[in-house]
Coordinates of all heavy atoms in Angstrom, one line a residue:
M244 N 0.8 -1.2 0.0 CA 0.0 0.0 0.0 C 0.9 1.2 0.0 O 1.9 1.3 0.7 CB -0.9 0.0 1.2 CG -1.9 1.2 1.2 SD -2.9 1.3 2.7 CE -3.8 -0.2 2.7
E245 N 0.5 2.2 -0.8 CA 1.3 3.4 -0.9 C 1.1 4.3 0.3 O -0.1 4.5 0.7 CB 0.9 4.2 -2.2 CG 1.6 5.4 -2.4 CD 1.1 6.2 -3.7 OE1 0.4 5.6 -4.5 OE2 1.5 7.4 -3.8
Y246 N 2.2 4.9 0.8 CA 2.0 5.8 2.0 C 1.6 7.2 1.5 O 2.2 7.7 0.5 CB 3.4 5.9 2.7 CG 3.4 7.0 3.8 CD1 2.7 6.8 5.0 CD2 4.0 8.2 3.5 CE1 2.7 7.8 5.9 CE2 4.0 9.2 4.5 CZ 3.3 9.0 5.7 OH 3.3 10.0 6.6
K247 N 0.7 7.8 2.1 CA 0.3 9.1 1.8 C 0.5 10.0 3.0 O 0.0 9.7 4.1 CB -1.2 9.2 1.4 CG -1.4 8.5 0.0 CD -2.8 8.7 -0.4 CE -3.0 8.0 -1.8 NZ -4.3 8.2 -2.4
D248 N 1.2 11.1 2.9 CA 1.5 12.0 4.0 C 0.2 12.7 4.4 O -0.4 13.4 3.6 CB 2.5 13.0 3.5 CG 2.9 14.0 4.5 OD1 2.4 13.9 5.7 OD2 3.6 15.0 4.2
P249 N -0.3 12.5 5.6 CA -1.6 13.1 6.0 C -1.6 14.6 6.0 O -2.6 15.2 5.6 CB -1.8 12.5 7.4 CG -0.6 11.8 7.8 CD 0.3 11.6 6.6
E250 N -0.4 15.2 6.3 CA -0.4 16.7 6.2 C -0.5 17.2 4.8 O -1.3 18.1 4.5 CB 1.0 17.2 6.8 CG 1.1 18.7 6.8 CD 2.5 19.1 7.3 OE1 3.4 18.3 7.4 OE2 2.6 20.3 7.5
F251 N 0.1 16.5 3.9 CA 0.0 16.9 2.5 C -1.4 16.7 2.0 O -1.9 17.5 1.3 CB 1.0 16.0 1.6 CG 1.1 16.4 0.2 CD1 1.8 17.4 -0.2 CD2 0.3 15.6 -0.7 CE1 1.9 17.8 -1.6 CE2 0.4 16.0 -2.1 CZ 1.1 17.0 -2.5
E252 N -2.0 15.6 2.3 CA -3.4 15.3 1.9 C -4.4 16.4 2.5 O -5.2 16.8 1.8 CB -3.8 13.9 2.4 CG -3.1 12.8 1.7 CD -3.3 12.7 0.2 OE1 -4.5 12.8 -0.2 OE2 -2.3 12.5 -0.5
L253 N -4.2 16.7 3.7 CA -5.1 17.7 4.3 C -4.9 19.1 3.7 O -5.9 19.8 3.3 CB -4.8 17.9 5.8 CG -5.5 19.0 6.6 CD1 -7.0 18.7 6.5 CD2 -5.0 19.1 8.0
L254 N -3.6 19.5 3.4 CA -3.4 20.8 2.8 C -3.9 20.7 1.3 O -4.4 21.7 0.8 CB -1.9 21.1 2.8 CG -1.3 21.4 4.2 CD1 0.2 21.5 4.2 CD2 -2.0 22.7 4.8
S255 N -3.8 19.6 0.7 CA -4.3 19.5 -0.7 C -5.8 19.7 -0.7 O -6.4 20.4 -1.6 CB -4.0 18.1 -1.3 OG -2.6 18.0 -1.5
S256 N -6.5 19.1 0.3 CA -8.0 19.3 0.4 C -8.3 20.8 0.6 O -9.2 21.3 0.0 CB -8.5 18.4 1.5 OG -8.3 17.1 1.2
L257 N -7.6 21.4 1.6 CA -7.8 22.8 1.8 C -7.6 23.7 0.6 O -8.3 24.6 0.3 CB -7.0 23.3 3.0 CG -7.4 22.8 4.4 CD1 -6.3 23.2 5.4 CD2 -8.7 23.3 4.8
E258 N -6.5 23.4 -0.1 CA -6.2 24.1 -1.3 C -7.3 24.0 -2.3 O -7.6 25.0 -3.0 CB -4.8 23.5 -1.9 CG -4.2 24.4 -2.9 CD -2.8 23.9 -3.3 OE1 -2.6 22.7 -3.4 OE2 -1.9 24.7 -3.4
Q259 N -7.8 22.8 -2.5 CA -8.9 22.6 -3.4 C -10.2 23.4 -3.1 O -10.8 24.0 -3.9 CB -9.3 21.1 -3.5 CG -8.3 20.3 -4.3 CD -8.6 18.8 -4.2 OE1 -9.6 18.4 -3.7 NE2 -7.7 18.0 -4.8
I260 N -10.4 23.5 -1.8 CA -11.6 24.3 -1.3 C -11.3 25.8 -1.6 O -12.2 26.5 -2.1 CB -11.8 24.1 0.2 CG1 -12.3 22.6 0.4 CG2 -12.8 25.1 0.8 CD1 -12.3 22.2 1.9
I261 N -10.2 26.3 -1.2 CA -9.9 27.7 -1.3 C -9.8 28.1 -2.8 O -10.2 29.2 -3.2 CB -8.6 28.1 -0.5 CG1 -8.9 28.0 0.9 CG2 -8.1 29.5 -0.9 CD1 -7.8 28.3 1.9
F262 N -9.1 27.3 -3.6 CA -8.9 27.7 -5.0 C -9.9 27.0 -6.0 O -9.6 26.9 -7.2 CB -7.5 27.3 -5.4 CG -6.4 28.1 -4.7 CD1 -5.6 27.4 -3.8 CD2 -6.3 29.4 -4.8 CE1 -4.6 28.1 -3.1 CE2 -5.3 30.1 -4.1 CZ -4.5 29.5 -3.3
K263 N -11.1 26.6 -5.5 CA -12.0 25.9 -6.3 C -12.5 26.7 -7.5 O -12.8 26.1 -8.6 CB -13.2 25.4 -5.5 CG -14.1 26.6 -5.1 CD -15.3 26.1 -4.3 CE -16.1 27.3 -3.9 NZ -16.8 27.3 -2.7
D264 N -12.5 28.0 -7.5 CA -13.0 28.8 -8.6 C -11.8 29.3 -9.5 O -12.0 30.0 -10.4 CB -13.8 30.0 -8.1 CG -15.0 29.5 -7.4 OD1 -15.6 28.5 -7.8 OD2 -15.5 30.2 -6.4
V265 N -10.6 28.9 -9.1 CA -9.4 29.4 -9.9 C -9.0 28.2 -10.8 O -8.7 27.1 -10.3 CB -8.2 29.7 -9.0 CG1 -7.0 30.1 -9.8 CG2 -8.6 30.8 -8.0
P266 N -9.0 28.4 -12.1 CA -8.6 27.4 -13.0 C -7.1 27.0 -12.8 O -6.3 27.8 -12.7 CB -8.8 27.9 -14.4 CG -9.0 29.4 -14.3 CD -9.3 29.7 -12.8
Q267 N -6.9 25.7 -12.7 CA -5.6 25.1 -12.5 C -5.0 24.7 -13.8 O -5.3 23.6 -14.2 CB -5.6 24.0 -11.5 CG -6.1 24.4 -10.1 CD -5.2 25.4 -9.4 OE1 -3.9 25.3 -9.5 NE2 -5.7 26.4 -8.8
T268 N -4.2 25.5 -14.5 CA -3.7 25.2 -15.8 C -2.2 25.1 -15.8 O -1.6 25.3 -16.9 CB -4.2 26.3 -16.8 OG1 -3.7 27.5 -16.4 CG2 -5.7 26.3 -17.0
I269 N -1.6 24.8 -14.7 CA -0.2 24.6 -14.7 C 0.2 23.3 -15.4 O -0.3 22.3 -15.1 CB 0.4 24.6 -13.2 CG1 0.1 25.9 -12.6 CG2 1.8 24.2 -13.2 CD1 0.5 26.0 -11.1
T270 N 1.1 23.5 -16.3 CA 1.6 22.3 -17.1 C 3.0 22.0 -16.6 O 3.7 22.9 -16.0 CB 1.6 22.5 -18.6 OG1 2.5 23.5 -18.9 CG2 0.2 22.8 -19.1
L271 N 3.5 20.9 -17.0 CA 4.9 20.6 -16.6 C 5.9 21.5 -17.2 O 7.0 21.8 -16.7 CB 5.3 19.1 -17.1 CG 4.5 18.0 -16.3 CD1 4.9 16.7 -16.9 CD2 4.9 18.1 -14.8
Q272 N 5.6 22.1 -18.4 CA 6.5 23.0 -19.0 C 6.7 24.4 -18.3 O 7.7 24.9 -18.3 CB 6.0 23.3 -20.5 CG 6.1 22.0 -21.3 CD 5.4 22.2 -22.6 OE1 4.5 23.1 -22.8 NE2 5.7 21.4 -23.6
N273 N 5.6 24.9 -17.7 CA 5.7 26.1 -17.0 C 5.6 26.1 -15.5 O 5.3 27.1 -14.8 CB 4.8 27.2 -17.6 CG 3.3 26.8 -17.3 OD1 3.0 25.8 -16.7 ND2 2.4 27.6 -17.8
K274 N 5.7 24.9 -14.9 CA 5.5 24.7 -13.5 C 6.8 25.4 -12.8 O 7.9 25.0 -13.1 CB 5.4 23.2 -13.1 CG 5.2 23.0 -11.7 CD 5.0 21.5 -11.4 CE 4.7 21.3 -9.9 NZ 4.5 19.9 -9.7
P275 N 6.5 26.3 -11.9 CA 7.7 27.0 -11.2 C 8.4 26.0 -10.3 O 7.9 25.1 -9.8 CB 7.0 28.1 -10.4 CG 5.6 27.6 -10.2 CD 5.3 26.7 -11.4
N276 N 9.7 26.3 -10.2 CA 10.5 25.5 -9.3 C 10.2 25.9 -7.9 O 9.7 27.0 -7.6 CB 12.0 25.5 -9.6 CG 12.7 26.8 -9.3 OD1 12.4 27.4 -8.2 ND2 13.5 27.2 -10.2
P277 N 10.5 25.1 -6.9 CA 10.1 25.4 -5.5 C 10.7 26.7 -5.0 O 10.1 27.4 -4.2 CB 10.7 24.2 -4.7 CG 10.8 23.1 -5.6 CD 11.1 23.7 -7.0
F278 N 11.9 27.0 -5.4 CA 12.6 28.3 -5.0 C 11.9 29.5 -5.6 O 11.6 30.5 -4.8 CB 14.1 28.3 -5.4 CG 14.9 27.3 -4.7 CD1 15.5 26.3 -5.4 CD2 15.0 27.2 -3.3 CE1 16.3 25.3 -4.8 CE2 15.8 26.2 -2.7 CZ 16.4 25.3 -3.4
T279 N 11.5 29.5 -6.9 CA 10.8 30.6 -7.5 C 9.4 30.7 -6.9 O 9.0 31.8 -6.5 CB 10.7 30.3 -9.0 OG1 12.0 30.1 -9.5 CG2 10.0 31.5 -9.7
E280 N 8.8 29.6 -6.7 CA 7.4 29.7 -6.1 C 7.5 30.2 -4.6 O 6.7 31.0 -4.2 CB 6.7 28.3 -6.1 CG 5.3 28.4 -5.7 CD 4.5 27.1 -5.8 OE1 5.1 26.1 -6.2 OE2 3.3 27.1 -5.6
F281 N 8.5 29.8 -3.9 CA 8.7 30.3 -2.5 C 8.8 31.8 -2.5 O 8.2 32.5 -1.7 CB 9.9 29.6 -1.8 CG 10.3 30.4 -0.6 CD1 9.5 30.3 0.6 CD2 11.4 31.2 -0.6 CE1 9.9 31.0 1.7 CE2 11.7 31.9 0.5 CZ 11.0 31.8 1.7
E282 N 9.7 32.3 -3.4 CA 9.9 33.7 -3.4 C 8.6 34.5 -3.7 O 8.3 35.5 -3.0 CB 10.9 34.1 -4.5 CG 12.3 33.7 -4.1 CD 13.3 33.9 -5.2 OE1 13.0 33.8 -6.4 OE2 14.5 34.3 -4.9
Q283 N 7.8 34.0 -4.6 CA 6.5 34.6 -5.0 C 5.6 34.6 -3.8 O 4.9 35.6 -3.5 CB 5.9 34.0 -6.2 CG 6.7 34.2 -7.5 CD 6.2 33.4 -8.6 OE1 5.4 32.4 -8.5 NE2 6.7 33.7 -9.8
L284 N 5.5 33.4 -3.2 CA 4.5 33.2 -2.1 C 4.9 34.0 -0.9 O 4.1 34.6 -0.2 CB 4.4 31.7 -1.8 CG 3.8 30.9 -2.8 CD1 3.9 29.4 -2.5 CD2 2.3 31.2 -3.1
R285 N 6.2 34.0 -0.6 CA 6.7 34.7 0.6 C 6.5 36.2 0.5 O 5.9 36.9 1.3 CB 8.2 34.4 0.8 CG 9.0 35.4 1.6 CD 8.8 35.1 3.1 NE 9.6 36.0 3.9 CZ 9.2 37.3 4.1 NH1 8.1 37.8 3.7 NH2 10.0 38.0 4.8
K286 N 6.8 36.8 -0.7 CA 6.6 38.2 -0.9 C 5.1 38.6 -1.0 O 4.7 39.6 -0.5 CB 7.3 38.7 -2.2 CG 8.8 38.7 -2.1 CD 9.5 39.0 -3.4 CE 11.0 38.9 -3.3 NZ 11.6 39.0 -4.6
G287 N 4.3 37.7 -1.6 CA 2.9 37.9 -1.7 C 2.1 37.8 -0.4 O 1.0 38.3 -0.3
S288 N 2.7 37.2 0.6 CA 2.1 37.1 1.9 C 2.0 38.4 2.7 O 1.1 38.6 3.5 CB 2.7 36.0 2.8 OG 4.0 36.5 3.3
G289 N 3.0 39.2 2.4 CA 3.1 40.5 3.1 C 3.6 40.4 4.6 O 3.5 41.3 5.3
L290 N 4.0 39.2 5.0 CA 4.4 38.9 6.3 C 5.9 39.2 6.5 O 6.7 38.9 5.5 CB 4.1 37.5 6.8 CG 2.6 37.1 6.7 CD1 2.5 35.6 7.0 CD2 1.8 37.9 7.8
K291 N 6.4 39.6 7.7 CA 7.8 39.7 8.0 C 8.3 38.3 8.2 O 7.6 37.3 8.4 CB 8.0 40.5 9.3 CG 7.5 41.9 9.1 CD 7.7 42.7 10.4 CE 7.1 44.1 10.3 NZ 7.1 44.7 11.6
N292 N 9.7 38.1 8.1 CA 10.3 36.8 8.3 C 9.8 36.1 9.5 O 9.5 34.9 9.5 CB 11.8 36.9 8.3 CG 12.4 37.0 6.9 OD1 11.7 36.8 6.0 ND2 13.7 37.3 6.9
D293 N 9.8 36.8 10.7 CA 9.4 36.1 11.9 C 7.9 35.7 11.9 O 7.5 34.6 12.3 CB 9.7 36.9 13.1 CG 9.0 38.3 13.2 OD1 8.8 38.8 12.1 OD2 8.8 38.8 14.3
E294 N 7.0 36.5 11.3 CA 5.6 36.2 11.2 C 5.4 35.0 10.3 O 4.6 34.1 10.5 CB 4.8 37.4 10.7 CG 4.9 38.6 11.6 CD 4.3 39.9 11.0 OE1 4.5 40.0 9.7 OE2 3.8 40.7 11.7
F295 N 6.1 35.1 9.1 CA 6.0 34.0 8.2 C 6.5 32.7 8.7 O 5.8 31.6 8.6 CB 6.8 34.4 6.9 CG 6.6 33.4 5.8 CD1 5.4 33.5 5.0 CD2 7.6 32.5 5.4 CE1 5.2 32.7 3.9 CE2 7.4 31.7 4.3 CZ 6.2 31.7 3.6
A296 N 7.6 32.7 9.5 CA 8.2 31.5 10.1 C 7.2 30.9 11.1 O 6.9 29.7 11.1 CB 9.5 31.8 10.7
R297 N 6.6 31.8 11.9 CA 5.6 31.4 12.9 C 4.4 30.7 12.2 O 3.9 29.7 12.6 CB 5.2 32.5 13.8 CG 4.4 32.1 15.0 CD 4.1 33.3 16.0 NE 3.9 34.6 15.4 CZ 4.8 35.6 15.4 NH1 6.0 35.4 15.9 NH2 4.5 36.7 14.9
A298 N 3.9 31.4 11.2 CA 2.7 30.8 10.5 C 3.0 29.5 9.8 O 2.2 28.6 9.8 CB 2.3 31.8 9.4
M299 N 4.3 29.3 9.4 CA 4.7 28.1 8.7 C 5.0 27.0 9.7 O 5.2 25.8 9.4 CB 5.9 28.3 7.8 CG 5.6 29.1 6.6 SD 4.5 28.2 5.4 CE 5.4 26.7 5.1
G300 N 5.3 27.4 11.0 CA 5.7 26.4 12.0 C 7.1 26.0 11.9 O 7.5 24.9 12.2
V301 N 7.9 26.9 11.4 CA 9.4 26.7 11.2 C 10.1 27.8 11.9 O 9.6 28.8 12.2 CB 9.8 26.5 9.7 CG1 9.1 25.4 9.1 CG2 9.5 27.8 9.0
S302 N 11.4 27.6 12.0 CA 12.3 28.7 12.5 C 12.5 29.8 11.5 O 12.4 29.6 10.3 CB 13.6 28.1 13.0 OG 14.4 27.7 11.9
V303 N 12.9 31.0 12.0 CA 13.3 32.0 11.1 C 14.5 31.6 10.3 O 14.7 31.9 9.1 CB 13.6 33.3 11.9 CG1 14.2 34.4 11.0 CG2 12.4 33.8 12.6
A304 N 15.4 30.8 10.9 CA 16.6 30.3 10.2 C 16.2 29.4 9.0 O 16.8 29.5 7.9 CB 17.4 29.4 11.2
M305 N 15.1 28.7 9.1 CA 14.6 27.9 8.0 C 14.1 28.8 6.8 O 14.4 28.5 5.7 CB 13.5 26.9 8.4 CG 13.0 26.0 7.2 SD 14.3 25.1 6.3 CE 14.7 23.8 7.5
V306 N 13.4 29.8 7.2 CA 12.9 30.8 6.2 C 14.2 31.4 5.5 O 14.2 31.5 4.2 CB 12.0 31.9 6.8 CG1 11.7 33.0 5.8 CG2 10.8 31.3 7.3
L307 N 15.2 31.7 6.2 CA 16.4 32.3 5.6 C 17.1 31.2 4.7 O 17.7 31.6 3.7 CB 17.3 32.8 6.7 CG 16.8 34.0 7.5 CD1 17.8 34.3 8.7 CD2 16.5 35.2 6.7
E308 N 17.0 30.0 5.1 CA 17.6 28.9 4.3 C 16.8 28.8 2.9 O 17.4 28.7 1.9 CB 17.5 27.6 5.0 CG 18.5 27.4 6.2 CD 19.9 27.4 5.7 OE1 20.3 26.5 4.8 OE2 20.8 28.1 6.2
W309 N 15.5 28.9 3.0 CA 14.7 28.9 1.8 C 15.1 30.1 0.9 O 15.2 30.0 -0.3 CB 13.2 28.9 2.1 CG 12.7 27.7 2.7 CD1 13.2 26.4 2.6 CD2 11.6 27.5 3.5 NE1 12.4 25.5 3.3 CE2 11.4 26.2 3.9 CE3 10.6 28.4 4.0 CZ2 10.4 25.7 4.7 CZ3 9.6 28.0 4.8 CH2 9.5 26.6 5.2
E310 N 15.2 31.3 1.6 CA 15.5 32.5 0.8 C 16.8 32.5 0.1 O 17.0 33.0 -0.9 CB 15.4 33.7 1.7 CG 13.9 34.1 2.0 CD 13.8 35.3 2.9 OE1 14.8 35.8 3.4 OE2 12.6 35.8 3.0
S311 N 17.8 31.8 0.8 CA 19.1 31.8 0.3 C 19.3 30.6 -0.7 O 20.3 30.4 -1.3 CB 20.2 31.6 1.4 OG 20.0 30.4 2.0
K312 N 18.2 29.8 -0.9 CA 18.2 28.6 -1.8 C 19.1 27.5 -1.4 O 19.6 26.7 -2.2 CB 18.4 29.1 -3.2 CG 17.4 30.0 -3.7 CD 17.7 30.4 -5.1 CE 16.6 31.4 -5.5 NZ 16.8 31.9 -6.8
R313 N 19.4 27.5 -0.1 CA 20.2 26.3 0.5 C 19.3 25.1 0.8 O 19.8 24.0 0.8 CB 21.0 26.8 1.7 CG 22.2 27.7 1.3 CD 23.1 27.9 2.5 NE 22.4 28.7 3.6 CZ 22.6 30.0 3.8 NH1 23.5 30.7 3.0 NH2 22.0 30.6 4.7
E314 N 18.1 25.4 1.1 CA 17.1 24.4 1.4 C 15.9 24.6 0.6 O 15.5 25.7 0.3 CB 16.7 24.4 2.9 CG 17.7 23.9 3.9 CD 17.8 22.4 3.9 OE1 16.8 21.7 3.6 OE2 18.9 21.9 4.1
K315 N 15.2 23.5 0.2 CA 14.1 23.6 -0.7 C 12.8 23.3 0.1 O 12.8 22.3 0.9 CB 14.2 22.6 -1.8 CG 13.1 22.5 -2.8 CD 13.4 21.7 -4.0 CE 13.6 20.2 -3.6 NZ 13.7 19.3 -4.8
P316 N 11.8 24.1 0.1 CA 10.6 23.8 0.8 C 9.9 22.5 0.3 O 10.0 22.2 -0.9 CB 9.6 24.9 0.5 CG 10.4 25.9 -0.2 CD 11.7 25.3 -0.7
T317 N 9.3 21.7 1.2 CA 8.7 20.5 0.8 C 7.4 20.8 0.0 O 6.8 21.9 0.2 CB 8.3 19.6 2.0 OG1 7.4 20.3 2.8 CG2 9.6 19.3 2.8
P318 N 6.8 19.8 -0.7 CA 5.5 20.1 -1.3 C 4.4 20.5 -0.3 O 3.6 21.4 -0.6 CB 5.2 18.8 -2.0 CG 6.5 18.2 -2.3 CD 7.4 18.6 -1.1
A319 N 4.4 19.9 0.9 CA 3.4 20.3 1.9 C 3.6 21.7 2.4 O 2.7 22.5 2.6 CB 3.5 19.3 3.1
E320 N 4.9 22.1 2.5 CA 5.2 23.5 2.9 C 4.8 24.5 1.9 O 4.2 25.5 2.2 CB 6.7 23.6 3.3 CG 7.1 22.9 4.5 CD 8.6 22.7 4.7 OE1 9.3 22.7 3.7 OE2 9.0 22.6 5.9
L321 N 5.0 24.1 0.6 CA 4.5 25.0 -0.5 C 3.0 25.2 -0.5 O 2.5 26.2 -0.7 CB 5.0 24.5 -1.8 CG 6.5 24.7 -2.1 CD1 7.0 24.0 -3.3 CD2 6.9 26.2 -2.2
K322 N 2.3 24.1 -0.2 CA 0.8 24.1 -0.2 C 0.4 25.0 0.9 O -0.5 25.9 0.8 CB 0.2 22.7 0.0 CG 0.3 21.9 -1.3 CD -0.5 20.6 -1.1 CE -0.5 19.8 -2.4 NZ -1.3 20.5 -3.4
L323 N 1.0 24.9 2.1 CA 0.7 25.8 3.2 C 1.0 27.2 2.9 O 0.2 28.1 3.2 CB 1.4 25.4 4.5 CG 1.2 26.2 5.8 CD1 -0.3 26.2 6.1 CD2 2.0 25.6 6.9
M324 N 2.1 27.5 2.2 CA 2.4 28.9 1.8 C 1.3 29.4 0.8 O 1.0 30.6 1.0 CB 3.8 28.9 1.1 CG 4.9 28.7 2.0 SD 6.5 28.7 1.0 CE 7.5 27.7 2.0
R325 N 0.9 28.6 -0.1 CA -0.2 29.0 -1.0 C -1.5 29.4 -0.2 O -2.1 30.4 -0.5 CB -0.5 27.9 -2.0 CG 0.5 27.7 -3.0 CD 0.0 26.7 -4.1 NE 1.2 26.0 -4.6 CZ 1.5 24.8 -4.5 NH1 0.7 23.9 -3.9 NH2 2.6 24.3 -5.0
L326 N -1.8 28.6 0.8 CA -3.0 28.9 1.6 C -2.8 30.2 2.4 O -3.7 31.0 2.5 CB -3.3 27.8 2.5 CG -3.7 26.5 1.8 CD1 -3.7 25.3 2.8 CD2 -5.0 26.6 1.1
I327 N -1.6 30.4 2.9 CA -1.3 31.7 3.7 C -1.4 32.9 2.8 O -1.9 33.9 3.2 CB 0.0 31.5 4.4 CG1 -0.1 30.5 5.6 CG2 0.5 32.9 5.0 CD1 1.2 30.1 6.2
Q328 N -0.8 32.7 1.6 CA -0.8 33.9 0.7 C -2.3 34.2 0.2 O -2.7 35.3 0.1 CB 0.0 33.6 -0.5 CG 0.1 34.8 -1.5 CD 0.5 34.6 -2.9 OE1 0.3 33.5 -3.4 NE2 1.2 35.5 -3.5
A329 N -3.1 33.2 0.0 CA -4.4 33.4 -0.5 C -5.3 34.0 0.6 O -6.2 34.7 0.3 CB -5.0 32.0 -0.9
N330 N -5.0 33.7 1.9 CA -5.8 34.2 3.0 C -4.8 34.5 4.2 O -4.7 33.7 5.1 CB -6.8 33.2 3.4 CG -7.9 33.8 4.3 OD1 -7.6 34.8 4.9 ND2 -8.9 33.1 4.5
P331 N -4.2 35.7 4.2 CA -3.2 36.0 5.2 C -3.8 35.9 6.6 O -3.0 35.7 7.6 CB -2.8 37.4 4.9 CG -3.0 37.6 3.4 CD -4.2 36.7 3.2
V332 N -5.1 36.0 6.8 CA -5.7 35.9 8.1 C -5.4 34.5 8.7 O -5.3 34.4 9.9 CB -7.2 36.2 8.0 CG1 -7.9 35.9 9.4 CG2 -7.5 37.6 7.6
L333 N -5.2 33.5 7.9 CA -4.9 32.2 8.3 C -3.6 32.2 9.2 O -3.5 31.4 10.1 CB -4.7 31.2 7.2 CG -5.9 30.8 6.4 CD1 -5.5 29.9 5.2 CD2 -6.8 30.0 7.3
S334 N -2.7 33.0 8.8 CA -1.4 33.0 9.5 C -1.5 33.4 11.0 O -0.7 32.9 11.8 CB -0.4 34.0 8.9 OG -0.8 35.4 9.0
K335 N -2.6 34.1 11.3 CA -2.8 34.5 12.7 C -3.4 33.3 13.5 O -3.3 33.2 14.7 CB -3.7 35.7 12.8 CG -2.9 36.9 12.3 CD -3.9 38.1 12.1 CE -3.3 39.3 11.5 NZ -2.1 39.3 10.8
H336 N -4.1 32.4 12.8 CA -4.7 31.3 13.4 C -3.9 30.0 13.5 O -4.2 29.1 14.2 CB -6.1 31.0 12.7 CG -7.0 32.1 12.8 ND1 -7.6 32.6 13.9 CD2 -7.4 33.0 11.8 CE1 -8.4 33.6 13.7 NE2 -8.3 33.9 12.4
I337 N -2.9 29.9 12.6 CA -2.1 28.7 12.5 C -1.1 28.6 13.6 O -0.9 27.6 14.2 CB -1.4 28.6 11.1 CG1 -2.4 28.5 10.0 CG2 -0.4 27.5 11.1 CD1 -1.8 28.6 8.6
A338 N -0.5 29.7 13.9 CA 0.6 29.8 14.9 C 0.2 29.5 16.3 O -0.8 29.5 16.7 CB 1.3 31.1 14.8

């Protein structure tokens, strides 16, 4: 039986609910890499590093690692970032 990460599955479900009216037309040819997507999501959230780290449940050092491209966010972390950017109020409830 294939293992499915429960956090990833939950975030996928939330993402489908929040973005249900947004057409998903990303193809393999123009799919952004995790670093590019992180930069867009991080800037789009409008949160400071410490606020963003708290909302993500990671340290400020990890956010700096993502920004410096030394560490790549996981697919689940990217999903959470999309949700935070789509609804910044979530960041106050997650932490």
Side-chain angles (χ1 to χ4, degrees):
M244 184 185 298
E245 181 183 345
Y246 171 77
K247 293 187 178 183
D248 179 5
E250 179 182 16
F251 184 83
E252 294 295 316
L253 175 63
L254 291 173
S255 293
S256 297
L257 288 172
E258 195 174 42
Q259 288 174 3
I260 292 167
I261 290 178
F262 296 114
K263 69 179 180 209
D264 297 327
V265 178
Q267 298 296 318
T268 57
I269 295 177
T270 64
L271 291 176
Q272 295 170 337
N273 66 358
K274 187 176 180 181
N276 73 41
F278 295 118
T279 303
E280 187 172 6
F281 164 74
E282 289 176 323
Q283 293 170 349
L284 295 169
R285 163 77 178 81
K286 290 175 184 173
S288 74
L290 299 172
K291 297 177 184 174
N292 275 350
D293 60 330
E294 296 168 331
F295 189 76
R297 188 171 40 256
M299 289 295 301
V301 299
S302 67
V303 173
M305 180 55 76
V306 172
L307 296 175
E308 289 290 308
W309 291 333
E310 287 183 347
S311 68
K312 298 181 180 175
R313 287 188 293 258
E314 285 287 327
K315 179 172 66 171
T317 66
E320 289 165 336
L321 286 171
K322 284 189 179 292
L323 182 56
M324 288 177 206
R325 287 185 208 116
L326 294 170
I327 290 170
Q328 183 198 32
N330 191 348
V332 174
L333 287 174
S334 67
K335 294 171 183 19
H336 301 289
I337 293 172

